[in-house]
Amino acid sequence: MAAPPSVVHAGIPETLRSSPVAEIRGPGDLVHFYRELAGSAPLLVVTNREPVVWKGEEHFVLPPGGVSQTIHRLLCQVGGRWVALRDSGGPDLLRIPGGAGDPGYRLDRLEVPPALLDGHYAGFSNGVLWPFFHDETDRIGDASNVLGAYREVNRRVAGKVLDSLRDASSGGIRPRMIWVHDYQLALVGQEMRRMGGALPPLAFFWHIPWSAPAGGAPPPHWLFEVVTGLLAYDQVGFQTELYRDRFLDTVFSLYGSRASWDGETLSVSTAFGLRRLHPGVFPISVDPDHFRMMARDPAGRIPAFSLLSDCGLAPGTPSGGYLISVDRMDYSKGFLERLSLMEALYENDPSLVGRLALLQIAPPTRLSVEAYRRYAEEVERRSEDLNRRFSRGEWRPVVTLARSLDPSLLSPLYRLSRGCLVTATRDGMNLVAKEFLASQDGGSAPLFLSRHTGTAMTMEGLSLIDPADPALSARIVAQGLAMDRRIRESRNRQALADLREHNVYRWMAENLVGPLSSTRNEGTALFARPA
Ligand code: ADQ
């Protein structure tokens, strides 16, 4: 299958490509960049989930999630606020300390009653928006009973942000910008503007795909509201040019001649006045150097060896070969498609039976959503079928670890594998693919990457598969595994060089540079208050 044409990080304005943003390689560069633009002005971040898990008193731990940890580290150093829905116990405010001489930040936690939270999270966010934007039409739930909860939680988050800005006990803060994340919070910007008052630039990042407007069919009734909500931000970031362009298509299909786009700025005449915003393309990434180091570190390699031995995949033994997959148990990650691919692989080449297993590291996710519970059961049934059919003695073709593993253990597991299978049917980016490539660092294990991921659309020279066609994908995997070692190493080296250039710190800078450079950020309202 041919790789897509070179679209590596396309869509980023020329000015930005040649700016110091392109030089950013690590956390120190990012902090320096932030201070150059914002001085000592703080940053305010808004997410659905908290960056820390409270464990009592002043004690909390950091969950594994890479992106939230990168933002957390920046906030620790530059100072600011983080507003999120509460995930664990403890007080409404947590002071998160910075390192030596760093200001740290304050986490403002919003408590939402369970019934409302259920409508917002399981109902609209993951029962309607997620399947809609992952083109899983059959799984889209009824929006009418849960849209109200979504609106209400977004309104409460907006209120919490404004309270945080005005909080008399701290004298209020004047952040240089507010950065809101993901589909659960699309309406927060609009709600803040409705509540009135001076606001700094509002940026938003949409982490998941944006689907093409359904040709001919009427759009769902809630889409206009979500899109209009996004228009309230000054910048809306997407992972790829394709998603950004589809967003523009959707805006044009909904707003017709009231919308115009000059290649940088989208202008739309809405019921709330004229909106002018920048829909940007900012492909998210990882910290490749961190993964490289972890992959080699004995502190992770030793437990990785013993975990593999416990799973019957002892490294260096004839039955120890495995392909790895690491995903939340989400239908969009293509678990069933991956099992079909493995089945086709064994059918085509029976000599792989007993020599090459699938190690799937798959923590359960969103179990409050019925579709997820049913999907997990189906995956388990299919895995058992495969295990019944292809087991040889103690050896199993499918080994499942239904839990989260620390990245320090994950990266040696990536490194020790024979290859990685990413079979997402749709994926905004897919960071697992990038973590795997970074962990190779000199290794030759190939990545087999679904062409429906943002990673496939924004990186060159990778082996692309199509999860919808397991037979073809199995042939691509077999060919990739048989390819000359030097070719595989060279491909991985090239991918690593790309990731070092397009790393997560640079992604953050790309998101921040526009709003931080804005001349309109001295506390004046960017849009008139609606009449
Ligand atoms: P996700 O759908 O969660 O993210 P992905 O980009 O692959 O998908 O990120 C998952 C992260 O969780 C990775 O850092 C991975 O290592 C970690 N993870 C997954 N399973 C794990 C396990 N068992 N143990 C430990 N860690 C595990 C959403 C969008 C993506 C987009 C990201 C970032 O759906 O398309 O790439 O946000 O924008």
Side-chain angles (χ1 to χ4, degrees), residues 25 286-298 301 407-408 411-412 414-415 434-443 492-493 496-497 499-500:
R25 291 290 179 275
V286 297
D287 177 344
D289 290 334
H290 189 47
F291 275 89
R292 288 167 66 209
M293 277 173 341
M294 287 190 298
R296 292 165 180 269
D297 190 343
R301 279 180 82 89
S408 61
S411 32
Y414 287 139
R415 183 72 169 83
K434 296 189 175 188
E435 292 167 1
F436 173 83
L437 288 169
S439 303
Q440 283 308 304
D441 187 26
N492 284 349
R493 250 196 320 275
L496 179 57
L499 290 176
R500 296 189 79 193

Side-chain angles (χ1 to χ4, degrees), residues 66-67 130 207-208 239 284 326-328 333 361-363 403-405 410 414 427-432 435:
V67 179
W130 179 274
H207 287 256
I208 64 176
Q239 304 271 24
I284 201 166
V326 178
D327 305 284
R328 296 177 296 105
K333 304 293 183 184
I361 301 170
R403 60 178 201 262
S404 262
L405 298 184
L410 218 45
Y414 287 139
D427 213 334
M429 181 55 63
N430 194 283
L431 293 178
V432 167
E435 292 167 1

Side-chain angles (χ1 to χ4, degrees), residues 491-505:
R491 279 182 162 202
N492 284 349
R493 250 196 320 275
Q494 230 164 328
L496 179 57
D498 185 4
L499 290 176
R500 296 189 79 193
E501 195 179 339
H502 300 283
N503 56 75
V504 68
Y505 306 105

